[in-house]
Every structure is written in structure tokens, then in C-alpha cells.
Amino acid sequence: MKKSRLNLFKVTSMSISVLGILMIVATIAIFAYIGISSLSSTISSDVDSGSAYDKIASLNSDYSTLSGQYDKTKTQVDSSGNANITAEYNDANLQLVKAKNAINDAQSAVSAGKSSDEINSRISTAESQLQTAKESLSKVNAMF
């Protein structure tokens, strides 16, 4: 009977030891998973913001080109002396200013680390506003 209790005690002790080791391994695995998950999220976020910076750089380039076209058109508008063309140009120029503000807004969202949905929304707004400014300039040029 004593030997049976001793064997039972050894089996129980081994079970507790094995269970302890399994708990330690499970804990390490959980912490490793959390660490890898957060690292993956950080890398993904950096890639998203990198592509957002590329889009914003492209928008800034398009804006600069369009701004140059507006400057050339301004010379024609001033020399025409036509009040209707001047008024249409002023409205179009307002769209150009709105486009620049939308681009700056998208840039600030990226710099502030906003969510990718928020950044993409602001970039989309900037693209749309830039397109509106292009169309407005086309209308002014069509008046000549």
C-alpha cells in the first residue's frame, strides 16, 4: 500500500512538472505571437503610409503643373479684359486653392498617423478636387 502511494505521488509529481513546462511553453508562444503580430502591423502601417506619401507626392506634382497652367491662363485673362472670363477664372482659381488645401489635409493625416481609411479618404478628396480644378481651367480656356 505504501508503495502504491509512492508511485501515485511520483506520477502526480511528474504530471504537475510536465503541466508546468507546458504552461511555460504556452506562455512563451502567446507572447511571441503577440510580438510578431504587432511587428507585422507596424510594418504594414509603414508600407501603407509609404504608398500614401507616394500618392501625395504625385498630387503635389500634378498641382504644380496645374498651377503653372493657371498662371499662363491668368496672363490671357488679364489681357482679354472680359469680365465674364475674369469671373470664371476667379472661380476656377478658387477650385485650385481648394485642391491645394485638400492635398495639405491628406499630408497632415499621413503625418499624424491617422488610419489608412482616413488617409485614403482624404487622398481621394484631394484627387477629386484636383480634377475639379482641371475641369474649371478647361472651361476658362474654352471661353477664349
Side-chain angles (χ1 to χ4, degrees):
M1 181 102 169
K2 223 175 188 186
K3 199 171 190 180
S4 171
R5 282 188 182 174
L6 186 60
N7 284 338
L8 182 61
F9 179 71
K10 285 182 182 179
V11 170
T12 307
S13 294
M14 274 199 304
S15 297
I16 292 174
S17 296
V18 170
L19 190 59
I21 291 171
L22 288 176
M23 295 291 283
I24 291 170
V25 169
T27 303
I28 291 171
I30 290 171
F31 283 125
Y33 174 77
I34 291 171
I36 290 171
S37 177
S38 67
L39 179 64
S40 173
S41 175
T42 301
I43 290 171
S44 176
S45 173
D46 289 346
V47 169
D48 287 345
S49 65
S51 66
Y53 277 119
D54 291 343
K55 288 178 184 177
I56 291 171
S58 175
L59 287 171
N60 276 321
S61 175
D62 290 348
Y63 171 82
S64 293
T65 301
L66 188 59
S67 181
Q69 293 171 358
Y70 266 83
D71 291 342
K72 289 178 186 174
T73 302
K74 172 95 169 115
T75 307
Q76 291 177 324
V77 168
D78 289 342
S79 65
S80 76
N82 186 329
N84 290 334
I85 295 176
T86 301
E88 189 69 31
Y89 176 81
N90 289 337
D91 290 340
N93 198 38
L94 179 62
Q95 296 304 320
L96 183 67
V97 170
K98 287 180 180 179
K100 183 60 178 169
N101 287 339
I103 292 168
N104 290 341
D105 190 39
Q107 174 70 44
S108 71
V110 173
S111 298
K114 299 278 186 179
S115 70
S116 63
D117 289 339
E118 177 72 19
I119 292 169
N120 289 334
S121 172
R122 291 185 187 192
I123 287 174
S124 178
T125 300
E127 290 170 339
S128 174
Q129 191 61 49
L130 196 59
Q131 185 60 38
T132 301
K134 287 177 185 177
E135 291 167 1
S136 296
L137 182 62
S138 294
K139 286 180 185 176
V140 172
N141 287 329
M143 295 178 83
F144 289 110

